[in-house]
Amino acid sequence: MEPAAMARSPCSAISQASLPSAPLVPGRFAIRPSRRLTLTSPAAARRLVTRCTVGDKAEAEKPIEKRFPPFPTVMDINQIRDILPHRFPFLLVDRVIDYKPGEYAVAIKNVTINDNFFPGHFPERPIMPGVLMVEAMAQVGGIVMLQPEVGGSRENFFFAGIDKVRFRKPVIAGDTLIMRMTLIKLQKRFGIAKMEGKAYVGADLVCEGEFLMATGSE
């Protein structure tokens, strides 16, 4: 599931539904339901709208710190350290939040002002260097590559190349970088794989590219 994707509900279906072209009858509510929403009468539509309005109000009144669930943990930092050879200050993956063996991994990096690159990049405007975003994404790719499902070695992992890189928006201190690396093509005999990488902050795509990864003996 893409980081920006959210579960659809009848309420979201109402917000996206279009009104019929025919004029409305005064005092009645009409709505054209989407494929996922079936309303049998105007009365049913009114009840659903009322329920959604009450639910939205209750959500808005909830304290902001209680509105957003934490990211799930599929692999914590200790498990990541067992897989990746990187260590401080160059381990750029904090948690794996989704993973399908031999196919993809989704992980996060919490970008903080304490990261050692911010004093120089830049003192007055802390922006995460693009090359480190790419490195962080490659490390997520390494988590996929170094697993038995791909036939990788836990001892050696190489970033062999990158293509079609685009930086869409700056990543600054305080952001959470969400990275998805998907295995596109694998040459198991040679230990070489092509991967697609995308990185997000919230729903915004901030970086994307194609990665060439390699494992094996030196």
Side-chain angles (χ1 to χ4, degrees):
M1 182 176 65
E2 292 289 338
M6 297 179 65
R8 294 183 180 273
S9 67
C11 301
S12 64
I14 280 184
S15 67
Q16 295 173 6
S18 58
L19 294 176
S21 56
L24 300 178
V25 178
R28 295 178 67 87
F29 179 87
I31 188 169
R32 179 181 299 165
S34 67
R35 292 180 180 179
R36 298 191 180 194
L37 181 65
T38 301
L39 299 177
T40 57
S41 68
R46 285 195 296 271
R47 288 195 297 270
L48 182 56
V49 170
T50 300
R51 189 170 78 242
C52 292
T53 302
V54 172
D56 291 343
K57 183 178 179 181
E59 183 69 17
E61 291 176 350
K62 185 184 297 185
I64 191 168
E65 66 272 17
K66 296 182 179 180
R67 293 182 200 170
F68 306 103
F71 286 108
T73 301
V74 175
M75 296 183 194
D76 62 22
I77 189 61
N78 293 315
Q79 292 168 300
I80 292 169
R81 284 165 56 91
D82 286 340
I83 297 170
L84 295 179
H86 307 74
R87 293 295 181 266
F88 177 84
F90 228 66
L91 178 55
L92 301 176
V93 181
D94 292 326
R95 182 189 302 183
V96 175
I97 62 174
D98 193 11
Y99 173 65
K100 189 169 184 179
E103 294 191 21
Y104 68 83
V106 183
I108 63 172
K109 172 176 171 45
N110 297 306
V111 184
T112 80
I113 196 63
N114 292 319
D115 282 312
N116 69 335
F117 46 79
F118 279 137
H121 197 281
F122 301 98
E124 302 302 323
R125 191 185 180 195
I127 296 176
M128 185 176 184
V131 292
L132 293 185
M133 278 193 273
V134 170
E135 169 64 25
M137 294 165 72
Q139 291 181 17
V140 179
I143 292 173
V144 178
M145 288 292 296
L146 296 177
Q147 298 299 319
E149 295 82 10
V150 185
S153 164
R154 289 177 178 268
E155 297 178 358
N156 298 308
F157 155 53
F158 305 98
F159 184 12
I162 191 166
D163 195 16
K164 300 179 182 179
V165 179
R166 295 292 183 271
F167 299 104
R168 305 296 183 184
K169 290 187 176 183
V171 176
I172 64 175
D175 285 340
T176 297
L177 190 64
I178 308 170
M179 302 164 285
R180 173 182 287 270
M181 292 293 290
T182 305
L183 184 63
I184 302 299
K185 184 178 180 180
L186 174 65
Q187 296 181 0
K188 199 167 185 178
R189 178 181 176 185
F190 301 103
I192 298 175
K194 182 178 181 181
M195 307 190 78
E196 178 187 70
K198 292 186 177 182
Y200 300 82
V201 172
D204 296 328
L205 180 66
V206 296
C207 180
E208 60 182 330
E210 295 178 355
F211 294 69
L212 191 64
M213 321 289 285
T215 64
S217 302
E218 294 184 350

